[in-house]
Amino acid sequence: MALTTAPGAAVGGPPTDLPEPLNARPVPRPGRWLSAAVMLVLAAMVVHALVTNPNFRWDTVWLYLRDVNVVRGVGWTLVLTFGSMAIAVVLAVLLAIMRRSDNPVMRSVSWAYIWFFRGTPIYTQLVFWGLISVLYPRLSLGVPFGPEFFVFDTRDVITAFWAALVGLALNEAAYLAEIVRAGLGSVDPGQAQAARALGMTEPRILRRIVLPQAMRVIVPPTGNETISMLKTTSLVVAVPFTLEITYATSAIGTRTFQPIPLLIVAALWYLLITSVLMVGQYYVERYYGRGFDGGATGGRRGGPGGRLSRQAAIRGAGTTKDDPFAEVTP
């Protein structure tokens, strides 16, 4: 590698014919500033319309935002949301595995379940769950068309809460099953074949090889379904279950003849919970996305990509230092 100097410059001294520094100026973007100004004006108009309108009764909103019945409704809404999603996730994984099974009976049962629960409205399903004690006054365990060993009163076993929880979970499982199936299908089948060649069992392959990689595809839509489930709980009045936040605020609004402020109270609580869920979804997505997106996440958080790149850099630096005849690229 040869070094050259400018004519008239002393060897080892600074060059004398450097180019003049560029006097670069940013490209003017008047459209960007104009659109930003328009959006700020529109936002200010919206805020002014909300704050100065006395019909919203913001004093009533603040009063009932911390009401004990409203806070209790928030708690029941969270219980319904996370309880139904937990049951739905377990059922969805089972349905997705059945859908990918070689057994035609398993595939048919999974397809029929998904077809039925995706094809009927959730409100209609909840109405039927509310009428379960009318349709089946007694529940029994025994031999079909034979003797009954245990008999239960349906009203005592399936209360309004359990009817709402099971109804939401069974409906959500049909949608999550397709999400899980898509996630499992996104994993390279060659990895499962390599695991079988190493003697791993099918359940172990699913748990240790396929599912961890499929989570990168499964988590984002599952987070959206969780947020959607939070708002779907407002339909459990069809059971009827009357302790969740929408019914609680509606009852207060009917009693005080101020429905609009109480609707705003419910909307603010939904926005707060949704914001927390979105933050949680972001961190869960980032956790399961380590090593992807060009390896940037792995490098920042010390994931597999970051460890490999640091080890490669150390090895490369050691080779250059220890071997004086190593090729150096200019």
Short mmCIF file of all heavy atoms in Angstrom, two decimals, residues 140-149:
data_model
loop_
_atom_site.label_atom_id
_atom_site.label_comp_id
_atom_site.label_asym_id
_atom_site.label_seq_id
_atom_site.Cartn_x
_atom_site.Cartn_y
_atom_site.Cartn_z
N SER A 140 -75.01 -33.72 33.88
CA SER A 140 -74.72 -35.03 34.46
C SER A 140 -73.47 -35.63 33.84
O SER A 140 -73.11 -35.32 32.70
CB SER A 140 -75.90 -35.98 34.26
OG SER A 140 -76.13 -36.20 32.88
N LEU A 141 -72.81 -36.48 34.62
CA LEU A 141 -71.67 -37.27 34.16
C LEU A 141 -72.02 -38.73 34.28
O LEU A 141 -72.46 -39.20 35.35
CB LEU A 141 -70.42 -36.95 35.00
CG LEU A 141 -69.86 -35.54 34.89
CD1 LEU A 141 -68.68 -35.37 35.85
CD2 LEU A 141 -69.43 -35.24 33.47
N GLY A 142 -71.81 -39.46 33.20
CA GLY A 142 -72.14 -40.88 33.21
C GLY A 142 -71.94 -41.49 31.85
O GLY A 142 -71.24 -40.95 30.98
N VAL A 143 -72.54 -42.62 31.63
CA VAL A 143 -72.45 -43.33 30.36
C VAL A 143 -73.52 -42.78 29.42
O VAL A 143 -74.68 -42.64 29.81
CB VAL A 143 -72.65 -44.84 30.56
CG1 VAL A 143 -72.56 -45.58 29.23
CG2 VAL A 143 -71.62 -45.38 31.54
N PRO A 144 -73.15 -42.39 28.17
CA PRO A 144 -74.17 -41.90 27.23
C PRO A 144 -75.27 -42.94 27.02
O PRO A 144 -74.99 -44.12 26.79
CB PRO A 144 -73.37 -41.65 25.94
CG PRO A 144 -71.96 -41.44 26.41
CD PRO A 144 -71.80 -42.32 27.61
N PHE A 145 -76.53 -42.50 27.11
CA PHE A 145 -77.70 -43.36 26.99
C PHE A 145 -77.72 -44.43 28.08
O PHE A 145 -78.36 -45.48 27.92
CB PHE A 145 -77.77 -44.03 25.60
CG PHE A 145 -77.71 -43.06 24.47
CD1 PHE A 145 -76.53 -42.91 23.76
CD2 PHE A 145 -78.80 -42.28 24.13
CE1 PHE A 145 -76.45 -42.03 22.70
CE2 PHE A 145 -78.72 -41.39 23.08
CZ PHE A 145 -77.56 -41.25 22.36
N GLY A 146 -77.00 -44.18 29.16
CA GLY A 146 -76.94 -45.15 30.25
C GLY A 146 -77.11 -44.47 31.59
O GLY A 146 -77.69 -43.38 31.70
N PRO A 147 -76.59 -45.09 32.64
CA PRO A 147 -76.76 -44.53 33.99
C PRO A 147 -75.96 -43.25 34.18
O PRO A 147 -74.91 -43.05 33.56
CB PRO A 147 -76.26 -45.65 34.90
CG PRO A 147 -75.31 -46.43 34.04
CD PRO A 147 -75.86 -46.37 32.65
N GLU A 148 -76.46 -42.38 35.05
CA GLU A 148 -75.80 -41.13 35.40
C GLU A 148 -75.18 -41.28 36.79
O GLU A 148 -75.84 -41.68 37.74
CB GLU A 148 -76.81 -39.98 35.40
CG GLU A 148 -77.46 -39.72 34.05
CD GLU A 148 -78.49 -38.61 34.12
OE1 GLU A 148 -78.89 -38.25 35.25
OE2 GLU A 148 -78.91 -38.13 33.05
N PHE A 149 -73.90 -40.92 36.88
CA PHE A 149 -73.18 -41.06 38.14
C PHE A 149 -73.24 -39.79 38.99
O PHE A 149 -73.35 -39.85 40.20
CB PHE A 149 -71.72 -41.44 37.87
CG PHE A 149 -71.57 -42.71 37.07
CD1 PHE A 149 -70.82 -42.73 35.91
CD2 PHE A 149 -72.18 -43.87 37.50
CE1 PHE A 149 -70.68 -43.90 35.19
CE2 PHE A 149 -72.04 -45.06 36.78
CZ PHE A 149 -71.29 -45.07 35.62
#
